[in-house]
Amino acid sequence: SRYKVVSMFNQNVATYARYSVFGFYSFVECFVNSVGEDFVARNPKLTSDKCEFLRGKKDGRYLAVEKKLEVFPEIIRPDGKRPIILSDPKQIAEPYKSFASHIKDVRDASAHFAKSKADIIVPPQTWEKRAQEASVICLAVARGFWNACYPNRSLPLYLGKLDDAQHKKIAEQRVKAEAEELSEK
């Protein structure tokens, strides 16, 4: 019976950690899309090509998040600079390098498993580490992307300025409140 309980906990850790990696990756994708859509909404005189691109498409086909991370800032910035480079492997800097390789590999394997993709049958400790890395890397990517698009604006307040420590504190408070609520029952 102990084996079953431990096995269940291990599976739960792996499942929720895998969802965390997937969720953090999806957060970056949604954040990038929202920045593009917001810019289109605030700039009605943009060309139809730029609008389509900022809405995540080119010639009717969806763009990869890596392409959006690289090109959206160039369109949004008044100076037309492209501070994030992902198309040249020699120029990819952190945290984008880890995001485009490690985090994306785990996300892809979780969404579309194949033997040739990243291992998803790993110990729960590995999944926990992956989830923690994804949280740090994905928030850093979002911060870097925002700063690449808007170098003179503060980070978005509605997302807690993408501050790791603030979000961790909120999460810990939620867990504590849940534990207190459960102990009262």
Side-chain angles (χ1 to χ4, degrees):
S1 68
R2 284 185 181 174
Y3 174 78
K4 285 183 180 181
V5 170
V6 169
S7 181
M8 178 194 65
F9 283 127
N10 285 344
Q11 290 171 7
N12 285 345
V13 169
T15 297
Y16 291 117
R18 186 173 70 239
Y19 288 151
S20 295
V21 173
F22 196 90
F24 281 114
Y25 183 91
S26 296
F27 163 75
V28 170
E29 200 163 23
C30 290
F31 181 66
V32 169
N33 290 342
S34 72
V35 170
E37 190 63 41
D38 175 70
F39 192 79
V40 169
R42 289 184 299 105
N43 294 277
K45 294 182 182 179
L46 282 176
T47 65
S48 61
D49 287 352
K50 285 185 179 179
C51 287
E52 181 186 34
F53 207 90
L54 287 168
R55 288 190 166 128
K57 291 184 177 181
K58 183 174 182 180
D59 300 326
R61 297 188 61 157
Y62 287 100
L63 300 169
V65 69
E66 295 88 353
K67 184 74 171 174
K68 297 176 202 177
L69 285 165
E70 186 171 358
V71 180
F72 280 20
E74 179 181 23
I75 297 170
I76 292 171
R77 292 170 65 104
D79 62 10
K81 288 184 180 178
R82 191 184 282 199
I84 301 171
I85 305 295
L86 295 168
S87 55
D88 180 1
K90 293 179 182 177
Q91 294 186 57
I92 301 175
E94 289 296 345
Y96 309 101
K97 187 174 190 172
S98 292
F99 177 78
S101 61
H102 176 67
I103 303 300
K104 185 175 191 300
D105 288 348
V106 173
R107 179 262 180 205
D108 288 352
S110 295
H112 318 284
F113 180 73
K115 196 172 186 175
S116 61
K117 295 186 179 183
D119 289 335
I120 61 169
I121 301 173
V122 296
Q125 297 84 349
T126 302
W127 271 116
E128 182 182 15
K129 182 180 177 200
R130 286 176 174 177
Q132 289 173 352
E133 288 173 349
S135 71
V136 171
I137 291 167
C138 290
L139 280 173
V141 166
R143 279 191 304 272
F145 173 72
W146 179 268
N147 289 327
C149 292
Y150 300 109
N152 299 319
R153 286 174 55 182
S154 62
L155 291 163
L157 187 59
Y158 74 99
L159 291 172
K161 295 189 175 187
L162 300 167
D163 180 351
D164 302 54
Q166 180 179 347
H167 287 286
K168 185 175 181 180
K169 182 179 176 183
I170 291 167
E172 288 169 349
Q173 289 171 344
R174 285 181 182 163
V175 168
K176 183 180 176 185
E178 285 287 323
E180 290 173 356
E181 189 175 311
L182 285 174
S183 68
E184 290 174 3
K185 288 183 179 183

